[in-house]
Amino acid sequence: MKKFLALLLSLSMVFALSACGGKSDSAPPADTDAAETGDSTPASDFKVGFIFLHDENSTYDLNFINAAEAACEKLGVEYTKITNVPETEECYNKAAELADAGCNIIFADSFGHEDYIIQAAKEFPQVQFCHSTGTRAHTEGLSNYHNAFASIYEGRYLAGVAAGMKLNEMIDNGKITADQAKIGYVGAFTYAEVISGYTSFFLGARSVCPTATMEVTFTGSWYDETAEKEGAQKLINNGCVLISQHADSMGAPTACETAGVPNVSYNGSTQSACPNTFLVSSRIDWEPYFEYAITAAMNGTAIDADWTGTLATGSVVLTDLNTAVAAEGTQDAIDAVKAELENGTRQVFDVNTFTVDGSKLDTYKADVDTDADYTPDTEVIVDGAFRESTFRSAPYFDLRIDGITLLDEVYG
């Protein structure tokens, strides 16, 4: 979640227009009645707008940009991209510009954009607004405002399996002892999305390397190459023998390459820059969601208030494994675990696989409806597992499980 981000890139808005459907800029947006009656709009008359927090230099935003372009080109619709939009009133201004320019549907990619996208949705009821990583669509009750996320915790778990296999190889080769199997993790903020991510990664690693432990440090920014590099180096100096991350720059991977420490990245492969240390990366593929939401808007059919992509929808993916670094048998292990996740015989947050303060949990209420005081409101342990991204699409896992040590905490 991209909350309270201090913008570190250019302050100027980069306004890039790509025309795929041969449509002029004067096209009016779809009217409100179309969304209610099921009237459809042809691709040649349909316009899509995208708002991105950063630009292609951010792995997070690049992942969205690539998916946006692919979906729009596949569907043959015209699209407009606006990059480097901060989490301020500027986001509302850009959303309003896109609506005034005739966009039928508008997407935003950062958590901190949510207030401003909701503001725009209320002002432009004839336009559909979709916001990734947000939490309020299911409580706002707006027919033209929607949230989306994916079960990326499953992808991080699978990446964790690759990490655990690498730890076992290091133990078997005598490079480390079993009690030295300590993972380091560079996170942006101490939010549920990051907690869910590093916990699922850790549980994946521990499922094959039971002596694994983890230390986590936070940078206080989603994109700060220097801070991420320094965070990774601190963890390496502290005895961490493998590093992963939930932050958006090449800082941590390049620190690992320099130090010769295996690395699991996020949102895309870093193998070309880090051929000697990159293992694998998990990411959300946003193309299936973009296709779904755009198609629904074109057809005048309802878009889910909360949409959660999965392994089955192709929304949660891993990059190709770097076989030059990965332990022997890693791909087979990943494939076997993936099959279990897909058929439901394995749950990432199975309460039998972790403890909190030495105790197993059989009940827990999470803050799903997200009021100002973050009051727990929903029982989320069902049939022996914490059900992440089930009661809303955005993560709400905030448990501090045993085996993971937070070196610091940053909330923005």
Side-chain angles (χ1 to χ4, degrees):
M1 296 181 182
K2 311 299 193 191
K3 192 175 184 183
F4 307 118
L5 182 67
L7 185 66
L8 299 175
L9 302 179
S10 170
L11 294 177
S12 62
M13 299 299 103
V14 181
F15 197 90
L17 178 66
S18 298
C20 301
K23 180 78 177 62
S24 73
D25 289 344
S26 60
D31 58 31
T32 306
D33 290 339
E36 295 176 349
T37 63
D39 293 342
S40 62
T41 304
S44 59
D45 292 328
F46 198 86
K47 295 180 71 174
V48 184
F50 294 96
I51 292 172
F52 303 111
L53 180 63
H54 293 121
D55 56 24
E56 291 86 351
N57 291 306
S58 161
T59 56
Y60 175 84
D61 294 277
L62 177 62
N63 190 45
F64 275 94
I65 291 167
N66 288 340
E69 293 175 348
C72 289
E73 289 166 8
K74 179 177 180 179
L75 295 173
V77 295
E78 183 179 330
Y79 60 96
T80 300
K81 302 177 296 178
I82 310 179
T83 59
N84 294 319
V85 179
E87 295 164 316
T88 66
E89 190 70 19
E90 184 68 16
C91 178
Y92 164 76
N93 293 337
K94 293 303 179 184
E97 286 179 14
L98 289 169
D100 285 336
C103 287
N104 303 79
I105 187 169
I106 296 168
F107 297 87
D109 77 343
S110 184
F111 180 80
H113 289 151
E114 184 160 41
D115 287 349
Y116 309 104
I117 297 300
I118 290 173
Q119 180 184 355
K122 291 177 178 178
E123 184 165 335
F124 298 93
Q126 76 278 18
V127 179
Q128 295 295 320
F129 291 86
C130 299
H131 175 245
S132 299
T133 78
T135 63
R136 293 168 53 190
H138 73 291
T139 54
E140 285 294 319
L142 296 173
S143 62
N144 67 326
Y145 179 68
H146 320 278
N147 288 145
F149 207 78
S151 58
I152 188 57
Y153 59 91
E154 293 182 308
R156 288 194 184 276
Y157 186 92
L158 292 172
V161 170
M165 294 287 288
K166 186 64 178 179
L167 292 174
N168 284 342
E169 179 188 69
M170 297 164 75
I171 294 168
D172 292 343
N173 291 344
K175 187 172 182 179
I176 61 172
T177 61
D179 60 359
Q180 292 174 327
K182 184 165 65 172
I183 299 166
Y185 200 97
V186 180
F189 294 96
T190 317
Y191 301 153
E193 181 184 349
V194 182
I195 296 171
S196 176
Y198 69 63
T199 305
S200 54
F201 176 74
F202 173 71
L203 290 172
R206 189 174 257 194
S207 71
V208 292
C209 180
T211 62
T213 58
M214 176 184 280
E215 289 185 352
V216 184
T217 188
F218 300 92
T219 64
S221 171
W222 293 102
Y223 187 92
D224 187 330
E225 187 160 4
T226 299
E228 292 165 38
K229 183 177 291 186
E230 290 174 350
Q233 190 60 56
K234 176 174 70 174
L235 292 165
I236 293 168
N237 293 343
N238 213 28
C240 294
V241 297
L242 185 148
I243 303 292
S244 191
Q245 71 186 76
H246 191 156
D248 297 342
S249 85
M250 287 290 293
T254 54
C256 290
E257 185 73 4
T258 299
V261 172
N263 174 256
V264 174
S265 61
Y266 183 48
N267 276 325
S269 174
T270 61
Q271 185 170 350
S272 61
C274 307
N276 302 304
T277 55
F278 170 75
L279 272 171
V280 73
S281 172
S282 61
R283 70 180 181 90
I284 297 175
D285 186 346
W286 287 100
E287 186 177 350
Y289 178 67
F290 290 151
E291 287 186 22
Y292 154 74
I294 292 169
T295 300
M298 289 171 62
N299 292 337
T301 56
I303 300 170
D304 289 345
D306 260 288
W307 184 91
T308 303
T310 64
L311 289 166
T313 65
S315 303
V316 178
V317 297
L318 294 185
T319 64
D320 289 340
L321 193 69
N322 183 3
T323 56
V325 176
E328 185 177 352
T330 297
Q331 189 62 61
D332 289 340
I334 289 173
D335 291 343
V337 173
K338 181 181 178 183
E340 293 177 358
L341 292 173
E342 289 181 319
N343 66 28
T345 58
R346 183 182 299 226
Q347 298 294 326
V348 168
F349 297 115
D350 184 333
V351 296
N352 295 301
T353 63
F354 65 86
T355 57
V356 177
D357 295 329
S359 298
K360 173 186 167 182
L361 296 182
D362 56 15
T363 182
Y364 186 75
K365 282 194 172 183
D367 173 34
V368 173
D369 289 343
T370 313
D371 58 48
D373 295 325
Y374 300 101
T375 307
D377 51 56
T378 304
E379 175 60 58
V380 292
I381 294 181
V382 180
D383 295 331
F386 186 111
R387 301 295 170 170
E388 178 71 304
S389 294
T390 299
F391 300 100
R392 75 174 189 218
S393 56
Y396 39 82
F397 185 98
D398 60 357
L399 294 172
R400 309 292 182 89
I401 76 168
D402 297 329
I404 301 176
T405 301
L406 305 190
L407 302 184
D408 44 45
E409 298 185 37
V410 181
Y411 294 90

